[in-house]
Amino acid sequence: MTEFREFTFPSSDGEHTIHACEWVPDGTPKAVVQIVHGVAEYAARYDHVARTLCDHGYLVCGGDHLGHGKTAQPTEYGWFSNYDGWVLVTADVRRLRQLQAEKYPGLPYFLVGHSMGSFLTRTYLCRYPGEVSGAVLSGTGQEPACSVSLGKFLSWIICHTEGKRHVSPLLDRLSLGGYNKKFKPNRTTADWISRDEAVVDTYLKDPLCSFKPTAGMFHDMMDGLQYIAAPRSLRQMDKNTPIYIFSGDQDPVGGMGKGVKKVHGYFKAQGVKDLELKLYPGGRHEMFNELNRDEVKEDLVAWLDKHLEHAKREFHF
């Protein structure tokens, strides 16, 4: 039977306390899987994914990022930091990874990042190469460089005229608010996340998922997107770290598959030796919450199991 635990640890920003949780399987776990959640959600939202992994012997953990979940106060939702937000959030992902390594030494360690969490995971692979046994990217993508530069410039202007904590309707229309246009006529404002209407309705009713990113967070994310697309960043990766990318081919974050293939191409060009890509027909943004979610979770378990035998068991931080 899976045991659910909650705990906290100091954030890299020196001010906040990160709320984290873990799901512990019966018996000795065969590996640790750390979930890196996306924007406007939180780690415990992956409870059903974690419990499936626990059923197969994996210990699962995850932390709520700055500005998210139980880490943040309601007045802080959608905001990282006054400075170096992307760097700080990535460092918090690493802090949890280090804490779990101390608690469960010698176990293979995998990162599973969704959406913004996939961008953070890609950042982690570049900043801290060789520290994980493998990485899984869900709902990832890469906007054209000109679009990212424009978004960064506009958010910089808004940060300086309205403040970093300002929620801009313009920036929302250019990002999350624009994704729903692909699925007109719309039933809700979040049709783009899943074909499962019950999932969409639950998401919209969840107070921890109802906020929009601030101009400061938007600017931080543009920083992150520029960083993970830069050849000099990609060259820092450990080419021996296996990477599994999956997405729905109707995910607007991944450019309906085109942006996902672009990311796959980045890794391939850098010589990543073990690289896999899967696009699910008809799937939208949250494949873990799609109509075929059981298939998606089974595929994840199969990939993890396949990479256990050759997973690194000694890490140096």
Side-chain angles (χ1 to χ4, degrees), residues 130-205:
E131 290 192 357
V132 295
S133 305
V136 179
L137 306 176
S138 161
T140 200
Q142 189 68 41
E143 291 290 331
C146 58
S147 297
V148 176
S149 295
L150 176 60
K152 186 175 180 179
F153 176 67
L154 289 175
S155 59
W156 180 86
I157 291 175
I158 293 170
C159 284
H160 283 76
T161 57
E162 302 290 343
K164 292 184 177 181
R165 299 200 189 203
H166 177 70
V167 175
S168 165
L170 172 61
L171 293 178
D172 180 63
R173 288 197 300 271
L174 292 174
S175 57
L176 301 182
Y179 294 143
N180 227 32
K181 295 178 181 178
K182 305 285 186 180
F183 305 100
K184 289 184 176 180
N186 300 130
R187 186 182 69 89
T188 73
T189 57
D191 293 355
W192 60 280
I193 70 170
S194 174
R195 292 168 293 176
D196 189 328
E197 294 185 357
V199 165
V200 173
D201 291 343
T202 299
Y203 173 84
L204 290 172
K205 292 176 183 177

Side-chain angles (χ1 to χ4, degrees), residues 12-67:
S12 299
D13 73 354
E15 299 178 16
H16 291 83
T17 298
I18 300 296
H19 176 270
C21 47
E22 65 179 9
W23 295 259
V24 184
D26 288 333
T28 303
K30 55 189 180 184
V32 179
V33 176
Q34 180 177 337
I35 293 173
V36 187
H37 72 75
V39 69
E41 57 166 357
Y42 51 98
R45 192 163 177 261
Y46 291 79
D47 182 76
H48 69 102
V49 179
R51 291 182 184 277
T52 296
L53 291 173
C54 281
D55 289 344
H56 290 84
Y58 292 93
L59 185 143
V60 184
C61 64
D64 294 348
H65 305 315
L66 292 170

Side-chain angles (χ1 to χ4, degrees), residues 117-132:
S118 77
F119 306 150
L120 289 165
T121 299
R122 289 159 59 187
T123 303
Y124 191 111
L125 293 175
C126 296
R127 287 192 178 277
Y128 311 114
E131 290 192 357
V132 295

Side-chain angles (χ1 to χ4, degrees), residues 70-310:
K70 293 183 179 180
T71 292
Q73 298 296 320
T75 55
E76 298 175 318
Y77 288 160
W79 177 78
F80 284 154
S81 174
N82 279 323
Y83 62 92
D84 293 337
W86 194 258
V87 173
L88 291 171
V89 176
T90 307
D92 284 341
V93 173
R94 188 180 191 232
R95 283 196 171 206
L96 178 55
R97 191 266 178 269
Q98 292 172 312
L99 288 172
Q100 295 300 87
E102 293 172 3
K103 290 167 64 176
Y104 308 102
L107 287 181
Y109 203 99
F110 298 92
L111 294 181
V112 176
H114 171 69
S115 194
M116 181 186 73
S118 77
F119 306 150
L120 289 165
T121 299
R122 289 159 59 187
T123 303
Y124 191 111
L125 293 175
C126 296
R127 287 192 178 277
Y128 311 114
E131 290 192 357
V132 295
S133 305
V136 179
L137 306 176
S138 161
T140 200
Q142 189 68 41
E143 291 290 331
C146 58
S147 297
V148 176
S149 295
L150 176 60
K152 186 175 180 179
F153 176 67
L154 289 175
S155 59
W156 180 86
I157 291 175
I158 293 170
C159 284
H160 283 76
T161 57
E162 302 290 343
K164 292 184 177 181
R165 299 200 189 203
H166 177 70
V167 175
S168 165
L170 172 61
L171 293 178
D172 180 63
R173 288 197 300 271
L174 292 174
S175 57
L176 301 182
Y179 294 143
N180 227 32
K181 295 178 181 178
K182 305 285 186 180
F183 305 100
K184 289 184 176 180
N186 300 130
R187 186 182 69 89
T188 73
T189 57
D191 293 355
W192 60 280
I193 70 170
S194 174
R195 292 168 293 176
D196 189 328
E197 294 185 357
V199 165
V200 173
D201 291 343
T202 299
Y203 173 84
L204 290 172
K205 292 176 183 177
D206 191 331
L208 297 182
C209 297
S210 59
F211 61 86
K212 296 178 180 179
T214 60
M217 179 181 284
F218 190 92
H219 189 268
D220 288 334
M221 287 192 286
M222 295 304 103
D223 263 346
L225 283 171
Q226 284 186 333
Y227 177 82
I228 58 180
R232 65 181 180 277
S233 302
L234 291 163
R235 285 194 293 268
Q236 297 174 28
M237 290 177 22
D238 183 345
K239 311 305 187 292
N240 295 309
T241 300
I243 299 175
Y244 172 38
I245 307 170
F246 69 86
S247 181
D249 71 358
Q250 296 300 302
D251 179 6
V253 175
M256 305 308 201
K258 293 181 181 179
V260 186
K261 292 177 182 177
K262 180 190 292 187
V263 174
H264 179 270
Y266 286 164
F267 294 141
K268 187 175 181 180
Q270 292 302 320
V272 174
K273 297 177 180 179
D274 188 334
L275 180 62
E276 186 174 338
L277 168 64
K278 183 162 187 176
L279 292 175
Y280 292 93
R284 299 184 186 179
H285 185 52
E286 296 188 352
M287 288 310 308
F288 283 132
N289 291 315
E290 260 292 1
L291 297 174
N292 60 323
R293 62 180 71 90
D294 291 340
E295 174 193 6
V296 175
K297 290 185 286 186
E298 289 171 4
D299 289 343
L300 172 60
V301 170
W303 187 88
L304 292 169
D305 285 347
K306 183 173 70 173
H307 289 84
L308 274 179
E309 184 178 350
H310 302 292

